[in-house]
Amino acid sequence: EGEGRGEVVRPSHRLGERPPRFNWQSPILLSPHNADIFYFGADRLYRPFDQGRTFTAISGDLTRGGRTGDVPYGTLTA
């Protein structure tokens, strides 16, 4: 009792789409207007309305990246 359970919260993609590019330092911002909404930066800016179960891209690709791998380029950082 009293122990939280961890869940993975990150954007996913549909079959046939390119997966989102994000890294270990992806920016997350809680909405100052609604504590139930947060923003997640990857190669696009995402916003979930259901506690992170599904993400909606609210921008196009904001990077000049596209390279694969666990590196901090090709993703939003601030």
Side-chain angles (χ1 to χ4, degrees):
E1 192 172 327
E3 292 184 27
R5 118 183 162 206
E7 292 187 33
V8 175
V9 178
R10 63 180 177 200
S12 61
H13 64 286
R14 294 182 183 152
L15 188 61
E17 293 179 343
R18 288 184 68 177
R21 294 186 313 275
F22 55 93
N23 62 60
W24 297 101
Q25 301 138 352
S26 295
I28 298 173
L29 175 70
L30 294 175
S31 170
H33 307 290
N34 184 338
D36 292 331
I37 298 174
F38 68 95
Y39 299 90
F40 183 92
D43 55 332
R44 301 174 181 181
L45 186 61
Y46 291 88
R47 178 179 58 194
F49 288 107
D50 56 3
Q51 298 178 342
R53 287 186 285 280
T54 57
F55 286 76
T56 301
I58 60 172
S59 75
D61 189 345
L62 299 172
T63 70
R64 296 182 190 166
R67 299 179 185 175
T68 59
D70 293 334
V71 291
Y73 53 78
T75 63
L76 300 179
T77 56

